[in-house]
Amino acid sequence: MFDVAIIGAGVIGSCAARELSQFNLKIVVLEKKHDVAQGSSKANSGIVHGGYDAKPGTQKAKYNVLGQQMFDKLAAELGFPFRRNGSLVISDETGIDKLEVLKNQGIANGLTDLRIIHGEELRRLEPNLGDKVHAALVVPGGGIVCPYAMTIAFAENAAANGVQFMLGCTVLDIKKEEGSFSIVTSRETINAQMVVNAAGLHSDEINNLLSSRKLKIVPRRGEYCLLDKTEGKLVQHTIFQLPTKMGKGVLVTPTVDGNLLLGPTSEDIDEKDNTATTANGLNDVLQRAQFSLNHLPANKIISSFTGLRSTLVPEGDVTNDFIVEEAADVPGLINLCGIESPGLTAAPAIAVETARMIADRLKPAVNENFNPLRKGIRHFREMSNEERKTAIQINPDYGHVICRCESVTKAEILAALRSPLSKNNNINCLDAIKRRTRAGMGRCQSGFCWMRLIDIIAEECGIDVTEVSKSGGRSNILVECNKSGMR
């Protein structure tokens, strides 16, 4: 019997797991994918939103502002990349009144450092803005983060503090029994006193198995273009355009890893697992981004991807605001539903509230052995030459560069494979290594390093090269030997 079962190992579930590990609780995280951060947490803008956009008085506004204020401390504790680069909301001459509305919303939400700038001051901040950009709302609290690196950091720290992760474990059914929940999964039946529904796009389905208050989530597709690191300094701030009813619009932003990111589009679709990119969507990103930048280097795109946001359909007393509450008719079910943008920013604050609700009900003792610190992988590309020399002397595998585009060494790949979360859950696919080390994320998109990565994974994990997959499960890359004995 577990005290708490968390369904979903995205940023919401992983943050909640880490926060709850501060108590003496037996906790399990159930995730249908073969790694953490495989849904909306993997493919999004990686923006820490300042808090001006959400309507005052909403859950989105509350948790956005609380969450963004936590990032400096959490990044230091957990070793994930974060930079408070600030954001600008830009407009032409006709949008000044709308910028004032956003400024006043931000002030109502508790922000005190917002201002609107024009002309030379704006051009000094961002000289490459488009010619039609006339004014901007300056939001100093905005920042950028790597969304999957952040999720992995929370999950690894939760695991180090005793949380059990069951990956590749799909929830099939849930029943409320006397004093507990019986959760039928693709692997076994789990019993828990309380359930945290952090299932993202599928959180409505989990809720609807138990509660008479039915929810409906529609996936909102957003497509992105990622540009080479040569373009990463075209802007310093995250550049937003004026938001619309469908979202915050197409942005242009540097990433914490030095690339330039454009997107997303915003389109409601029917399929919750449809992450295909489209020609129309990517063209739309490029066309809209041209307002933000004076020169858009579309020939420097190295990758494109699609993310899906969990948008609640307003029906009855359900709005499109975040749901962060215990279900009124299902005691012990904590619903974290409809957590779309700014969900990544809000996640740490939502986790604090989740832990409070569970602690109020279960009255657990404090975990005196809780360690808030997590030491991440030390990346060769971030070292000085002197630090590299010392690292190689201590560990010769730092002298063996596997991914030339991103300067990823064998030492970093082995560290990713040997982390307790990875080792205990057989997280050994190419995409998992990519997310933890950036091997394969450079200009050639793994064109030169994938075979060497496969060999290292197979040797370290004691498996045949044909068992190494791209993204877990049955996504095998190599199948069998040809007549010459080559794979």
Side-chain angles (χ1 to χ4, degrees), residues 2 16 91 147 206 274 277 297 333 352 366:
F2 289 94
S91 77
I206 299 298
N274 182 1
T277 55
L333 172 64
V352 171
V366 172

Side-chain angles (χ1 to χ4, degrees), residues 135-203:
L137 174 66
V138 182
V139 188
I144 50 178
V145 69
C146 177
Y148 41 86
M150 171 182 166
T151 305
I152 289 166
F154 275 93
E156 288 188 346
N157 188 242
N161 282 295
V163 175
Q164 180 179 342
F165 283 75
M166 294 178 63
L167 305 180
C169 183
T170 304
V171 172
L172 303 174
D173 195 12
I174 309 179
K175 289 183 171 60
K176 181 71 188 292
E177 299 176 344
E178 189 173 348
S180 67
F181 293 85
S182 177
I183 308 168
V184 180
T185 78
S186 55
R187 288 168 56 177
E188 60 185 274
T189 297
I190 303 293
N191 295 296
Q193 291 187 66
M194 297 189 71
V195 169
V196 176
N197 176 13
L201 287 159
H202 300 277
S203 58

Side-chain angles (χ1 to χ4, degrees), residues 84-95:
R84 204 174 286 278
N85 64 320
S87 56
L88 301 179
V89 187
I90 58 174
S91 77
D92 59 18
E93 293 184 6
T94 67

Side-chain angles (χ1 to χ4, degrees), residues 278-300:
T278 66
N280 288 339
L282 298 178
N283 286 333
D284 189 36
V285 168
L286 295 176
Q287 289 174 8
R288 291 172 182 263
Q290 287 175 359
F291 173 76
S292 301
L293 281 183
N294 214 12
H295 168 64
L296 184 64
N299 62 329
K300 295 300 179 69

Side-chain angles (χ1 to χ4, degrees), residues 56 99-109 114:
L99 291 181
E100 288 287 354
V101 170
L102 292 178
K103 178 184 174 183
N104 291 333
Q105 276 192 176
I107 292 170
N109 289 339
L114 306 180

